[in-house]
Amino acid sequence: RKEVEQDPGPFNVPEGATVAFNCTYSNSASQSFFWYRQDCRKEPKLLMSVYSSGNEDGRFTAQLNRASQYISLLIRDSKLSDSATYLCVVRGFNKFYFGSGTKLNVKP
Amino acid sequence: GAVVSQHPSRVICKSGTSVKIECRSLDFQATTMFWYRQFPKQSLMLMATSNEGSKATYEQGVEKDKFLINHASLTLSTLTVTSAHPEDSSFYICSARDESRAGELFFGEGSRLTVL
């Protein structure tokens, strides 16, 4: 079983839509959780960390459910510039595990 | 903000040659750096963890004699792809943890290797 699993998508949504991605992880001892964004042929960049109490950054909301071992990312009022691949990242003791990424296409 | 620089960004080489990729943390010291490879439309696959002053830790299935890693200083790790073959063609990305920023992971720009 993979350490981190994500729905690869693609999610095709119109501008202004709300879209949510989920990610599950297998190791209950995982310590930290992140969402990264990767544009085509570019390196991943940190979008936001995910805290136990949930956290929000503008149009982006991240949630963590330790009991069910999943994290989520909600994007409200989607913009064309949100089109990218979103990577779920889970940190173990000294390693970071990446999901395969969920591709989002926001269309006009 | 913190920056990780990777060089070269693109390299084309002949089969059988060796290629060295550098990863530098520009404004922080990194005792640990990570090397990944990424095939088209796939996620990052961790190849090895580079530890400053000691041997790298390789993931299962990654040949240590094929992918030589050297982490000689707190700001530089290198990955050398030895005797490259076409199947080694890939996007290689490094990352480094900034412990002063709660261990946040920063990525290099990636190196696209094409072996002819």
Side-chain angles (χ1 to χ4, degrees):
Chain A
R1 185 184 171 185
K2 291 183 181 178
E3 293 280 347
V4 181
E5 299 209 49
Q6 286 182 256
D7 180 346
F11 285 63
N12 299 307
V13 303
E15 267 188 292
T18 295
V19 61
F21 310 136
N22 285 332
C23 162
T24 58
Y25 60 96
S26 60
N27 187 346
S28 60
S30 298
Q31 300 173 347
S32 310
F33 309 88
F34 310 89
W35 283 102
Y36 277 74
R37 170 192 170 131
Q38 186 175 24
D39 292 293
C40 188
R41 295 177 173 263
K42 299 283 188 181
E43 78 277 18
K45 293 186 178 177
L46 179 66
L47 177 65
M48 58 196 304
S49 301
V50 186
Y51 302 118
S52 298
S53 55
N55 48 299
E56 189 174 304
D57 183 1
R59 299 181 292 108
F60 299 86
T61 300
Q63 297 276 358
L64 167 64
N65 185 319
R66 282 193 182 271
S68 300
Q69 294 181 205
Y70 79 81
I71 68 174
S72 64
L73 177 67
L74 181 78
I75 305 176
R76 290 181 298 278
D77 189 23
S78 300
K79 311 290 185 192
L80 295 176
S81 57
D82 293 334
S83 297
T85 296
Y86 291 83
L87 303 173
C88 170
V89 181
V90 174
R91 178 179 170 182
F93 173 63
N94 192 35
K95 291 182 181 179
F96 291 79
Y97 298 96
F98 289 78
S100 56
T102 298
K103 188 169 176 57
L104 172 64
N105 295 316
V106 181
K107 300 181 182 284
Chain B
V3 176
V4 173
S5 176
Q6 194 172 334
H7 178 80
S9 59
R10 191 178 295 270
V11 57
I12 301 172
C13 69
K14 291 182 179 180
S15 187
T17 60
S18 294
V19 175
K20 180 186 283 188
I21 302 169
E22 294 186 346
C23 179
R24 295 180 184 273
S25 55
L26 297 185
D27 63 357
F28 66 96
Q29 293 183 330
T31 55
T32 305
M33 292 186 177
F34 304 92
W35 287 97
Y36 305 83
R37 66 187 296 182
Q38 185 176 34
F39 292 106
K41 299 186 179 182
Q42 294 188 27
S43 188
L44 298 168
M45 184 194 79
L46 179 65
M47 299 175 65
T49 302
S50 173
N51 305 298
E52 187 270 335
S54 64
K55 290 182 180 180
T57 305
Y58 289 81
E59 295 299 300
Q60 192 172 11
V62 178
E63 299 176 56
K64 59 182 68 176
D65 294 330
K66 171 76 172 174
F67 299 99
L68 300 178
I69 290 172
N70 185 288
H71 195 151
S73 77
L74 287 170
T75 59
L76 173 65
S77 175
T78 61
L79 168 68
T80 301
V81 182
T82 62
S83 187
H85 288 95
E87 57 265 31
D88 297 325
S89 299
S90 188
F91 191 50
Y92 292 87
I93 306 179
C94 71
S95 67
R97 279 168 48 189
D98 184 353
E99 297 298 342
S100 69
R101 295 187 183 210
E104 183 176 337
L105 201 62
F106 293 91
F107 288 85
E109 305 94 328
S111 300
R112 187 163 300 282
L113 170 64
T114 302
V115 184
L116 302 176

